[in-house]
Amino acid sequence: NHCANHCRYCGFAAPNAIPRTRLTLDEVRAEGRAIAGTGLKHLLLLTGEAPGKAGVDYLEACVRVLRPMFPSISIEVFPMETADYARLTRAGVDGLTVFQETYDPKLYAELHPAGPKRDYAFRLDTPQRGAEAGMRVVNIGALLGLSDRRREIFITGLHAARLQKRYPGVDVAVSLPR
């Protein structure tokens, strides 16, 4: 739950004084075994957005520990370059989830005053980089409640349609949490 961003709506934002932790690989293995023991076959690996604490090397090591337990592993982590997504794809990641939070660039800037997440365009192009890296599934979404719900749903749909047209072999999914 380490994070480098200052998102105004998030309890995990960097300025918040909360206990932070990063699992060791032994803890990752134990958690993976417990989850696999329930019969689940698909795992979504999440981190806060802090590449200095849970970067590509760490994520790759976690995936290599978890891959024998799960036929499908997706990630919801900080936005990366295509080469980093390709590296994780080779390690066994087959899905990416990324929330744009809002498709309103002005509101986005207000909600993300500092941190790497502040770069609206880089985040917007994250699903494309995941698709280019060979992800089988790309899941996108907006956080409903930050802006006009209908507008966000419509633009999320347009974003998904653009991705599906450009990458027909990728399963593009949409999540719209409240």
Side-chain angles (χ1 to χ4, degrees):
N1 63 350
H2 292 275
C3 195
N5 295 306
H6 294 239
C7 308
R8 295 191 190 275
Y9 53 84
C10 183
F12 295 111
N16 295 341
I18 61 171
R20 310 243 183 210
T21 189
R22 181 181 99 157
L23 299 179
T24 66
L25 292 180
D26 286 339
E27 290 169 325
V28 168
R29 184 174 291 104
E31 292 289 329
R33 285 182 181 143
I35 294 167
T38 69
L40 290 174
K41 302 293 183 200
H42 178 87
L43 184 70
L44 177 61
L45 183 61
L46 284 112
T47 68
E49 293 193 20
K53 297 283 185 181
V56 178
D57 291 341
Y58 174 75
L59 293 170
E60 181 180 20
C62 289
V63 170
R64 293 199 186 281
V65 165
L66 295 166
R67 189 66 175 133
M69 297 177 232
F70 298 95
S72 177
I73 298 176
S74 292
I75 55 171
E76 186 175 343
V77 300
F78 58 93
M80 298 178 202
E81 297 292 347
T82 305
D84 293 326
Y85 285 127
R87 180 176 164 189
L88 293 178
T89 300
R90 287 190 300 274
V93 172
D94 63 353
L96 170 67
T97 295
V98 63
F99 288 89
Q100 184 63 26
E101 276 80 16
T102 179
Y103 286 92
D104 178 338
K106 183 179 176 196
L107 178 60
Y108 187 92
E110 292 171 14
L111 294 172
H112 305 96
K117 194 183 233 181
R118 182 154 175 76
D119 188 339
Y120 177 87
F122 188 74
R123 190 164 191 94
L124 184 64
D125 290 341
T126 297
Q128 176 178 314
R129 292 189 303 276
E132 289 170 353
M135 296 288 176
R136 183 180 59 82
V137 176
V138 174
N139 187 29
I140 63 170
L143 297 180
L144 300 182
L146 298 176
S147 186
D148 178 69
R149 172 185 305 254
R150 290 172 296 216
R151 179 182 182 279
E152 295 291 352
I153 291 169
F154 180 72
I155 295 173
T156 303
L158 290 176
H159 191 188
R162 179 178 153 257
L163 290 166
Q164 192 67 71
K165 184 175 182 177
R166 189 164 182 186
Y167 306 99
V170 175
D171 182 11
V172 178
V174 173
S175 292
L176 296 168
R178 295 178 178 211

